[in-house]
């Protein structure tokens, strides 16, 4: 065979491998201090795809087939091209040669459990017959002798896990970076874009940096944990800490992530976004389309998203699950951890995470720092027990002796704690063409409050926002509340919401009515009221906290840990009137000590999860299982039946597009066009869908509409309203209050 193809699009093995080498050189130039054996990585790049010479693979790509009977993974066959004896003679240790073979053999995660030694030998014999004419010289290589790898360096069909290899750390770095280089070459994107802009972009703001921001600049080389009052510029502080490094900025809520991305791209890094700043969560592509439309900038959205998902951009704003699924060490996690080994990670509002997510975060930070990466935790409140957990896991960090507070905005809130359920009457009494924010712990409670207010308040002045809206309506709600909540917006009205508004959302209301969740959550909610305004005498009480009285607040015992809630409730007994920033810090420090919290079910969950992660065997969980467990997803994506009926023609057109197949007679350009059309159709279809919890799905009725043989659209029987969202008559079991 004259043409040794690597891809069905005509790219040869030599062309693809040369691109890996070019990527390696670029990576080495940008980040020369990465803790990897660069020469071993070069060898991995040269050999990783030589197994594609085998005749079955060549028939497959020449005929554009997806599979061919009897074909073995090309990574496994590539081990037959590695000159192990010569490498040992050149001074490479046995451990180094072993991790080279493992990295090459496993650079794609393939099931090899049924492959026998005889299968492997037979496939190598077949490869020898077609490999004689391979242009090794084009790769700067001598012609190689193809022979089976010794069991000393790789064992066929065993239960041996790479984690048992000596120098496992080096294996993770080698395989992880090989994957990065390989995927970037296949996507024809840069392995990395340099961070040669961030410091200049920040300097051009001409701000006088405050104490927090100066502290972060001075401690660029250390891990840091910092408590700072809302409104002090934590975003800029985090970016100053990043400096010229590659960085990831994580936040708990997608709404807040979108807002931070918008703020950074509009105010700080205002040009070349597709090479500089990425947004990474489940709706990345849709957000990029919206961004392009709003900014009127012409960008290759497909390439922009590819660079984002391949972690090639110097600054990425993302959700926790996009990075910290590494805690499960699933097959393929190495490329992510290897990238984080030379990156800085900013964690915003750590106190908002549930017990399982907090566990994955802490364990993930330990992995990242063990491999050379850095972290900064920036938060408005921080429970002492979290610091104890960080220290117990061996994480070292710098932390200022006192929180950063704005002396001009210490007193923003006058609080009344009410030992009863949230009061409609008081909300109405305090509404006087101002901005009122009502925050409930659950969707169900928010809908109840909204319905009661609807009988009294003009519908044009009343809004509802929670997670049970289809994506199209939820996006509109997010944009509406951000616009409404700006200080210079003179609109008036009442927004009834759940915790979707709780963190990092730059909105400012006049009065807050909220159910008690816990103190951390409460103080986050208070940050949406008088966000950047000092309290004045004529303001009066501007925060009303309802603790439920004889009844529990909604969600307590399910989405809100009942023990943590009780500790919070007891702490508020001493609160009446002024609650300034120093008092908030003191309450947190007094309430959430390790001594008090370690008796709660929340802390037990954290401890048990940490123990589980430490016992977990590398590769034991596959990525799909990890995604479900990590995100704590027990939900179904559905289309409300009324939404389907109202948009039937459009939905059917979208499904028809998704059913179209890539026929052989289509040209490469036509295939690319169809792929993009199908992708856009899927995104548009998702605009009519909503994620609902499993318990709610199981209580309702649904019918399935086939999209593809592997995918079904679930039409859910329920009521749906663009103002109120999805509703279904369900029982009074407290566990039905579990969605935010």
């Amino acid at each position: 065979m004259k043409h040794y193809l690597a891809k069905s699009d005509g790219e040869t093995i030599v062309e693809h491998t040369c691109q890996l080498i070019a990527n390696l050189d670029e990576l080495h130039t940008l980040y020369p201090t990465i803790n990897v054996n660069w020469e071993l990585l070069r060898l991995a790049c040269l050999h990783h795809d030589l197994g594609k010479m085998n005749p079955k693979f060549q028939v497959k790509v020449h005929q554009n087939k997806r599979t061919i009977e009897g074909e073995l993974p090309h990574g496994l066959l590539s081990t037959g091209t590695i000159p192990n004896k010569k490498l040992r003679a050149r001074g490479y240790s046995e451990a180094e040669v072993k991790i080279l073979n493992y990295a090459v053999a496993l650079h794609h995660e393939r099931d090899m459990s049924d492959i026998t030694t005889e299968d492997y030998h037979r496939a190598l014999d077949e490869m020898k017959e077609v490999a004689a004419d391979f242009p090794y010289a084009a790769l700067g290589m001598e012609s190689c002798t193809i022979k089976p790898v010794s069991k000393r360096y790789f064992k066929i069909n065993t239960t041996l896990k790479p984690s048992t290899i000596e120098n496992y750390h080096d294996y993770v770095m080698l395989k992880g970076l090989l994957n990065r280089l390989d995927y970037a070459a296949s996507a024809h994107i840069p392995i990395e874009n340099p961070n040669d802009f961030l410091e200049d972009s920040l300097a051009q703001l001409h701000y006088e940096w405050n104490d927090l921001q100066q502290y972060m600049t001075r401690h660029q080389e250390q891990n840091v944990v910092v408590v700072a009052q809302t409104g002090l510029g934590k975003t800029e502080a985090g970016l100053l800490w990043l400096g010229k490094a590659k960085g990831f900025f994580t936040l708990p809520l997608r709404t807040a992530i979108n807002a931070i991305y918008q703020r950074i791209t509009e105010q700080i890094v205002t040009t070349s976004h597709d090479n500089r700043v990425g947004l990474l969560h489940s709706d990345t592509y849709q957000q990029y389309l919206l961004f392009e439309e709003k900014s009127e900038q012409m960008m290759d959205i497909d390439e922009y998203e590819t660079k984002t998902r391949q972690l090639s951009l110097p600054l990425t704003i993302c959700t926790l699950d996009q990075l910290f699924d590494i805690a499960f060490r699933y097959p393929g996690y190495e490329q992510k951890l290897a990238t984080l080994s030379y990156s800085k990670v900013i964690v915003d509002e750590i106190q908002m995470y549930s017990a399982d997510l907090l566990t994955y975060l802490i364990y993930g930070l330990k992995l990242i720092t063990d491999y050379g990466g850095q972290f900064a935790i920036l938060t408005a409140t921080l429970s002492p027990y979290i610091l104890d957990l960080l220290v117990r896991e061996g994480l070292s960090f710098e932390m200022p002796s006192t929180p950063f507070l704005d002396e001009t905005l210490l007193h923003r809130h006058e609080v009344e704690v009410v030992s009863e359920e949230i009061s409609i009457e008081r909300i109405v009494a305090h509404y006087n063409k101002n901005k009122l924010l009502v925050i409930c712990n659950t969707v169900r409670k928010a809908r109840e409050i909204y319905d009661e207010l609807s009988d009294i308040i003009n519908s044009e002045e009343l809004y509802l926002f929670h997670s049970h809206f289809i994506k199209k309506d939820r996006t509109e709600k997010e944009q509406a509340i951000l616009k409404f909540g700006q200080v210079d917006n003179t609109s008036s009205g009442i927004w009834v919401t759940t915790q979707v508004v709780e963190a990092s959302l730059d909105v400012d209301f006049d009065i807050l009515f909220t159910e008690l969740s816990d103190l951390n959550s409460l103080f986050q909610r208070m940050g949406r009221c008088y966000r950047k305004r000092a309290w004045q005498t004529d303001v009066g009480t501007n925060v009303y906290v309802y603790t439920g009285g004889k009844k529990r607040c909604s969600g307590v015992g399910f989405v809100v840990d009942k023990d943590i809630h009780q500790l919070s409730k007891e702490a508020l007994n001493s609160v009446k009137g002024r609650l300034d920033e120093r008092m908030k810090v003191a309450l947190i420090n007094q309430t959430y000590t390790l001594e008090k919290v370690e008796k709660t079910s929340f802390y037990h969950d954290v401890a048990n999860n940490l123990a589980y992660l430490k016992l977990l065997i590398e590769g034991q969980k596959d990525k799909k299982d990890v995604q479900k467990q990590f995100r704590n997803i027990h939900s179904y994506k559905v289309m409300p039946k009324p939404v389907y009926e109202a948009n039937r023609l459009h939905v059917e057109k979208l499904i028809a597009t998704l059913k179209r197949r890539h026929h052989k007679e289509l040209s490469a350009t036509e295939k690319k066009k169809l792929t993009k059309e199908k992708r856009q159709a899927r995104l548009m279809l998702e605009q009519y869908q909503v994620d609902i919890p499993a318990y709610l799905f199981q209580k309702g009725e649904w019918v399935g509409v086939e999209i593809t043989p592997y995918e079904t659209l679930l039409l859910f029987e329920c009521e749906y309203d663009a103002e109120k969202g999805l509703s279904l008559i369900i029982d009074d079991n407290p566990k039905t209050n579990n969605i935010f």
Side-chain angles (χ1 to χ4, degrees):
M1 294 181 184
K2 293 183 179 180
H3 297 289
Y4 297 86
L5 296 183
K7 312 286 181 184
S8 57
D9 63 5
E11 184 177 43
T12 66
I13 296 174
V14 168
E15 290 170 335
H16 177 64
T17 304
C18 285
Q19 188 57 57
L20 260 77
I21 298 300
N23 285 343
L24 184 151
D25 292 337
E26 179 67 16
L27 183 65
H28 194 191
T29 299
L30 288 173
Y31 300 105
T33 60
I34 295 176
N35 187 19
V36 68
N37 185 322
W38 291 99
E39 287 306 312
L40 208 61
L41 181 57
R42 187 174 296 271
L43 286 169
C45 291
L46 289 171
H47 287 275
H48 84 290
D49 265 5
L50 291 184
K52 288 183 175 180
M53 289 188 289
N54 80 81
K56 285 186 171 62
F57 183 89
Q58 290 300 308
V59 168
K60 181 177 72 173
V61 291
H62 275 87
Q63 297 181 4
N64 197 21
K65 293 183 176 181
R66 295 189 64 178
T67 58
I68 191 165
E69 188 176 355
E71 180 192 3
L72 297 190
H74 69 266
L76 176 61
L77 298 182
S78 293
T79 60
T81 71
I82 299 175
N84 296 317
K85 286 187 177 180
K86 289 184 179 180
L87 293 177
R88 291 300 309 278
R90 285 165 53 186
Y92 287 95
S93 68
E94 179 176 324
E96 288 174 326
V97 175
K98 189 172 186 177
I99 65 173
L100 172 62
N101 279 274
Y102 266 87
V104 168
L106 303 177
H107 76 274
H108 292 304
E109 306 303 330
R110 300 287 187 267
D111 182 7
M112 301 187 190
S113 59
D114 294 333
I115 298 175
T116 65
T117 302
E118 291 73 21
D119 294 332
Y120 174 62
H121 286 203
R122 187 182 308 111
L124 286 181
D125 288 339
E126 293 174 354
M127 193 165 79
K128 288 179 187 178
E129 299 176 8
V130 299
D133 295 329
F134 186 84
Y136 297 102
L139 297 176
M141 299 172 62
E142 300 176 0
S143 59
C144 62
T145 301
I146 296 174
K147 61 180 182 180
V149 62
S150 165
K151 291 182 179 179
R152 176 183 296 179
Y153 304 119
F154 187 81
K155 295 183 179 180
I156 310 296
N157 192 18
T158 71
T159 58
L160 179 66
K161 297 293 183 182
S163 57
T164 64
I165 300 173
E166 183 183 355
N167 298 346
Y168 176 67
H169 176 285
D170 297 333
Y171 164 77
V172 170
M173 292 300 298
L174 187 68
K175 179 180 181 294
L177 292 179
L178 173 61
N179 286 148
R180 284 287 315 284
L181 297 165
D182 189 15
Y183 296 153
S186 295
H188 301 287
I189 61 171
I191 178 67
E192 289 286 358
N193 286 78
N195 181 359
D196 55 6
F197 60 90
L198 186 55
E199 289 187 333
D200 288 341
S201 297
L202 290 165
Q204 289 171 11
L205 296 174
H206 301 296
Y207 290 169
E208 183 176 340
W209 302 120
N210 61 31
D211 291 344
L212 163 66
Q213 294 155 346
Q214 291 179 41
Y215 177 90
M216 296 299 287
T217 302
R218 291 195 305 272
H219 291 82
Q220 284 184 341
E221 302 306 315
Q222 287 89 39
N223 300 324
V224 293
V225 176
V226 174
V227 178
Q229 180 180 335
T230 299
L232 277 180
K234 292 200 294 291
T235 299
E236 287 82 359
L239 297 180
L240 286 165
W241 177 76
L242 285 181
K244 295 181 179 179
K246 182 179 180 68
F248 295 88
F249 202 123
T250 68
L251 297 101
L253 298 175
R254 191 176 57 194
T255 307
I257 291 170
N258 293 340
I260 292 291
Y261 172 77
Q262 181 177 337
R263 182 177 170 211
I264 289 175
T265 52
E266 289 181 356
Q267 300 177 18
I268 302 174
V269 184
T270 57
T271 59
S272 301
H273 307 112
D274 51 342
N275 290 316
R276 294 177 169 180
V277 185
L279 176 71
L280 186 56
H281 54 55
S282 58
D283 291 332
T284 293
Y285 195 84
Q286 176 66 20
Q287 288 300 315
Y288 281 172
L289 288 173
L290 293 172
F291 176 77
E292 181 185 40
E293 180 181 346
K294 181 179 179 181
S295 65
E296 297 183 351
Q297 295 185 35
M298 293 300 296
M299 296 184 293
D300 186 332
I301 300 297
D302 291 308
E303 182 176 307
Y304 188 12
E305 190 206 28
T306 298
K307 286 189 285 190
T308 302
R309 295 205 178 277
Q310 293 297 332
L311 310 182
S312 295
L313 298 175
L315 174 59
T316 303
I317 300 120
C318 59
T319 46
L320 197 71
D321 61 284
Q322 298 294 337
L323 299 184
F324 286 87
D325 56 357
I326 60 171
F328 286 93
R329 308 188 301 287
Y330 56 84
Y333 86 105
E334 299 91 351
Q335 63 170 320
K336 198 172 289 185
L337 182 53
T339 303
L340 292 168
S341 76
Y342 60 93
S343 302
K344 291 182 173 184
V345 180
I346 300 169
V347 179
D348 194 2
E349 308 302 357
I350 190 173
Q351 80 288 339
M352 283 199 64
Y353 293 110
S354 59
D356 50 356
L357 295 181
L358 178 62
T359 305
Y360 310 149
L361 172 59
I362 292 172
Y363 193 81
L365 289 177
K366 183 68 168 65
L367 285 176
I368 291 168
T369 55
D370 284 348
Y371 277 77
Q374 293 176 251
F375 70 86
I377 295 174
L378 291 167
T379 184
T381 61
L382 182 65
S383 300
Y385 76 87
I386 293 181
L387 287 174
D388 289 320
L389 284 169
L390 294 173
V391 172
R392 283 187 177 184
E393 293 307 309
L395 289 160
S396 60
F397 50 85
E398 295 291 323
M399 185 176 182
S401 57
T402 58
F404 289 98
L405 304 175
D406 185 342
E407 296 296 333
T408 66
L409 288 175
L410 284 179
H411 184 196
R412 296 179 294 155
H413 303 116
E414 287 279 323
V415 177
E416 180 178 339
V417 180
V418 186
S419 182
E420 59 185 50
E421 292 186 273
I422 202 161
S423 168
I424 298 297
E425 292 76 14
R426 189 170 290 190
I427 294 171
V428 174
H430 282 78
Y431 180 55
N432 183 25
K433 298 301 178 182
N434 47 3
K435 295 180 181 180
L436 268 60
L437 178 62
V438 181
I439 304 181
C440 303
N441 292 341
T442 65
V443 171
R444 186 176 184 181
K445 187 65 176 180
R447 285 185 59 105
E448 288 177 2
I449 297 295
Y450 178 86
D451 286 340
E452 291 183 42
L453 287 172
S454 297
D455 296 332
I456 307 168
I457 302 298
N458 188 317
S459 62
E460 295 180 357
E461 300 175 8
L462 184 62
Y463 312 91
L464 179 66
F465 182 31
H466 52 67
S467 63
H468 279 188
F469 288 96
I470 61 172
K471 189 173 292 184
K472 172 179 174 292
D473 294 334
R474 177 165 176 165
T475 300
E476 292 176 358
K477 295 277 186 180
E478 289 177 0
Q479 294 170 347
I481 195 170
L482 280 169
K483 182 179 178 180
F484 179 92
Q486 299 308 300
V487 175
D488 57 0
N489 187 319
T490 59
S491 301
S492 60
I494 302 174
W495 277 82
V496 182
T497 73
T498 58
Q499 74 162 15
V500 292
V501 303
E502 193 169 305
S504 302
L505 213 60
D506 192 5
V507 294
D508 193 326
F509 284 75
D510 299 318
I511 301 178
L512 170 67
F513 295 85
T514 179
E515 289 189 290
L516 175 64
S517 174
D518 64 77
L519 292 185
N520 285 302
S521 176
L522 172 62
F523 297 158
Q524 283 293 315
R525 296 176 184 188
M526 289 170 66
R528 309 315 121 192
C529 171
Y530 268 66
R531 182 171 176 80
K532 297 179 182 178
R533 293 180 284 167
W535 183 87
Q536 302 295 328
T537 305
D538 60 347
V539 172
T541 302
N542 58 357
V543 175
Y544 294 89
V545 183
Y546 291 85
T547 61
K550 294 182 179 180
K551 294 185 177 180
R552 287 180 175 178
C553 294
S554 66
V556 174
F558 198 75
V559 295
V560 180
D561 182 89
K562 62 181 179 61
D563 299 322
I564 296 291
H565 182 268
Q566 183 60 34
L567 285 174
S568 306
K569 190 173 180 179
E570 292 169 0
L572 290 177
N573 287 335
S574 62
V575 173
K576 184 176 182 181
R578 176 173 178 147
L579 184 56
D580 65 31
E581 301 308 311
R582 288 194 176 92
M583 296 167 70
K584 292 175 187 176
V585 171
L587 274 178
I588 293 289
N589 290 338
Q590 295 163 9
T591 304
Y592 298 133
T593 63
L594 180 62
E595 182 182 6
K596 291 181 179 179
V597 173
E598 66 182 353
K599 301 172 185 177
T600 68
S601 57
F602 180 94
Y603 190 86
H604 290 164
D605 288 344
V606 172
N608 290 338
N609 285 335
L610 277 171
Y612 168 74
L613 289 174
K614 292 173 183 177
L615 292 173
L616 196 64
I617 300 172
E618 180 271 335
Q620 184 174 333
K621 290 267 188 183
D622 68 33
K623 191 170 184 178
K624 288 184 178 180
D625 287 339
V626 168
Q627 288 173 335
K628 290 180 180 179
Q629 183 165 347
F630 183 86
R631 297 177 188 171
N632 197 20
I633 290 176
H634 302 286
S635 64
Y636 291 83
K637 187 182 293 293
V638 304
M639 182 178 294
K641 193 71 174 293
V643 173
Y644 173 74
E645 297 295 347
N647 300 277
R648 180 189 289 266
L649 292 178
H650 190 208
V651 171
E652 290 178 349
K653 183 178 179 181
L654 295 174
I655 292 175
T657 298
L658 292 171
K659 286 180 176 290
R660 292 175 60 193
R661 301 186 63 185
H662 288 84
H663 297 293
K664 294 181 180 179
E665 58 270 18
L666 293 177
S667 67
T669 301
E670 289 172 327
K671 288 180 180 178
K672 186 175 181 180
K673 181 182 178 183
L674 178 56
T675 297
K676 188 168 186 177
E677 288 176 353
K678 293 176 75 170
R679 192 171 194 177
Q680 289 176 327
R682 188 173 303 282
L683 287 168
M684 294 177 73
L685 193 65
E686 289 177 354
Q687 293 300 302
Y688 299 124
Q689 294 176 281
V690 58
D691 288 317
I692 62 172
Y695 81 85
L696 189 59
F697 180 79
Q698 291 162 2
K699 289 177 179 293
E701 297 181 0
W702 57 273
V703 294
V705 176
E706 182 180 286
I707 298 176
T708 71
Y710 313 100
E711 184 178 7
T712 301
L713 174 65
L714 302 176
L715 303 182
F716 192 62
E717 293 284 357
C718 62
E719 295 179 0
Y720 185 83
D721 181 277
E723 291 303 317
K724 298 169 65 175
L726 180 148
S727 63
L728 179 71
I729 298 175
I730 51 181
D731 63 32
D732 292 325
N733 187 328
K735 292 191 176 184
T736 64
N737 285 337
N738 75 331
I739 232 21
F740 284 107

